[in-house]
Amino acid sequence: MSILNQNLLTLDFWQDTVTYGKRTLPVGTIGCAALNITDEQITELSTLCLPLNKVILMVETGSVDVSVFPEAEESLLKIIHFLQGTEPFSFLELATDAEIHRLFDEEHIENVIDYIRAAQEIGAVAAFDEKYRHGVGVLKLIQVMAQLGSTLLIYKQTMTAFAHALHDSERTPDGYAAAFAEHFSNTDTLSLNDPSWMALTNTTMQYVSAVMPEKENPQLVKRMHYVSFVGMFRSDLFEGLCVGHAPKKCPICGRWFLTTNARHTKYCGNPAPGDKLGRTCRQLGNLKGREQREL
């Protein structure tokens, strides 16, 4: 099933671009888009994740409660619906309702329960047994989605202030480096006790030949696999800074957008809120600039 085989926590980096799912974008776009997820949305996601955490608890304790699965299915459906309409997750080919329902049919639930019991008896090696493949796949998806609300909260708490520092910095690669040095401590140790250390723990990297979306020939790309969304978003944002891409806040709509090549773009290209003519923030900004010059 496609949702089980999809790399929800994988990015491909090539030159100054990043590929996530079906979209190739300027590197930094993924991390920038995550800044626009509101606190209210994160709170709602955290609530939706609670039934999924009950399933994870069953794996840890081995105590199976089948009444948890219908609630988990409903929550997963609502989370998928949210992701389908929210960048950067909308860049993925996410599951249909029918696919989610299929994951919670009798056959899959029985396989999940069999795997949980086997894991209690023989340990983690049970995950490599082919007969538990479906159950392990369902649980991996649940584990990834269950951390969505909490990791988005961590990302917003640690990166929003830094994004504002970048917004106010000199919009050059040197200016971004200076803002980074001022915001994060300069340490050579991998200390997890230092909250300002932006270490990407448990991240794996490989080089692969891959055909990127809208390309015909394969490219040699750096493929990064992450254990959490917060690590993925941070990595993309930092990779963007390395090539001169940085987030900026639009003064008209208040949303973060990515500037590339250290350009001094002031407004984003999104539809301006409340504009009856359907103009973008950039069009309105240019109009205001023209009026000021005329005055």
Side-chain angles (χ1 to χ4, degrees):
M1 195 171 294
S2 61
I3 186 64
L4 298 183
N5 298 325
Q6 190 158 186
N7 294 320
L8 299 174
L9 294 173
T10 298
L11 298 178
D12 284 350
F13 294 102
W14 181 69
Q15 295 184 347
D16 60 352
T17 64
V18 61
T19 299
Y20 186 46
K22 59 183 178 179
R23 293 282 298 276
T24 295
L25 307 143
V27 62
T29 301
I30 307 297
C32 183
L35 291 169
N36 288 318
I37 299 175
T38 66
D39 294 342
E40 291 76 17
Q41 289 174 317
I42 293 174
T43 299
E44 182 180 354
L45 280 173
S46 297
T47 301
L48 289 174
C49 290
L50 293 177
L52 304 184
N53 286 317
K54 293 180 181 179
V55 178
I56 296 173
L57 184 61
M58 286 195 303
V59 178
E60 296 173 352
T61 63
S63 178
V64 175
D65 180 5
V66 293
S67 66
V68 170
F69 291 109
E71 188 180 0
E73 178 184 357
E74 183 180 355
S75 288
L76 190 56
L77 275 170
K78 291 179 180 179
I79 291 172
I80 293 293
H81 291 165
F82 167 79
L83 299 183
Q84 287 170 337
T86 306
E87 293 184 357
F89 309 105
S90 56
F91 302 151
L92 298 166
E93 292 282 1
L94 291 166
T96 64
D97 287 10
E99 286 180 305
I100 296 300
H101 290 315
R102 176 81 174 89
L103 294 180
F104 288 87
D105 64 13
E106 184 177 351
E107 177 185 351
H108 281 77
I109 295 303
E110 285 183 358
N111 201 247
V112 168
I113 294 172
D114 289 342
Y115 165 71
I116 291 175
R117 289 171 177 164
Q120 292 297 311
E121 293 178 5
I122 62 176
V125 69
F128 300 97
D129 193 323
E130 182 64 19
K131 66 182 177 183
Y132 303 125
R133 178 171 58 89
H134 293 303
V136 171
V138 173
L139 289 173
K140 283 184 176 178
L141 176 63
I142 288 175
Q143 287 169 338
V144 168
M145 293 303 184
Q147 49 119 334
L148 184 58
S150 60
T151 56
L152 277 171
L153 180 62
I154 293 171
Y155 181 73
K156 288 289 294 288
Q157 288 176 339
T158 57
M159 300 305 291
T160 300
F162 177 51
H164 280 288
L166 291 170
H167 175 88
D168 297 330
S169 70
E170 182 183 350
R171 305 292 294 184
T172 66
D174 289 344
Y176 300 150
F180 187 97
E182 290 177 5
H183 196 80
F184 301 115
S185 63
N186 185 16
T187 175
D188 295 327
T189 60
L190 292 173
S191 173
L192 297 180
N193 296 322
D194 182 359
S196 66
W197 174 254
M198 295 290 101
L200 300 177
T201 56
N202 296 324
T203 300
T204 58
M205 182 181 73
Q206 62 183 148
Y207 292 92
V208 299
S209 179
V211 179
M212 298 160 61
E214 302 178 359
K215 295 279 187 179
E216 295 182 358
N217 299 320
Q219 310 289 336
L220 183 61
V221 304
K222 178 173 68 175
R223 178 164 293 170
M224 301 285 288
H225 305 278
Y226 308 89
V227 297
S228 69
F229 285 106
V230 63
M232 185 176 75
F233 296 149
R234 283 176 182 166
S235 176
D236 178 67
L237 192 68
F238 294 159
E239 289 281 343
L241 292 179
C242 292
V243 297
H245 300 177
K248 193 167 188 178
K249 198 164 191 176
C250 177
I252 293 180
C253 69
R255 290 177 59 83
W256 294 97
F257 68 102
L258 193 74
T259 62
T260 59
N261 300 321
R263 289 185 299 202
H264 294 266
T265 307
K266 187 175 181 179
Y267 306 97
C268 73
N270 295 316
D275 185 68
K276 297 180 180 180
L277 299 180
R279 290 170 293 190
T280 66
C281 294
R282 188 167 298 138
Q283 288 173 323
L284 288 184
N286 291 338
L287 182 61
K288 289 181 180 180
R290 189 180 307 119
E291 291 174 348
Q292 290 175 351
R293 288 192 296 271
E294 289 175 353
L295 289 175

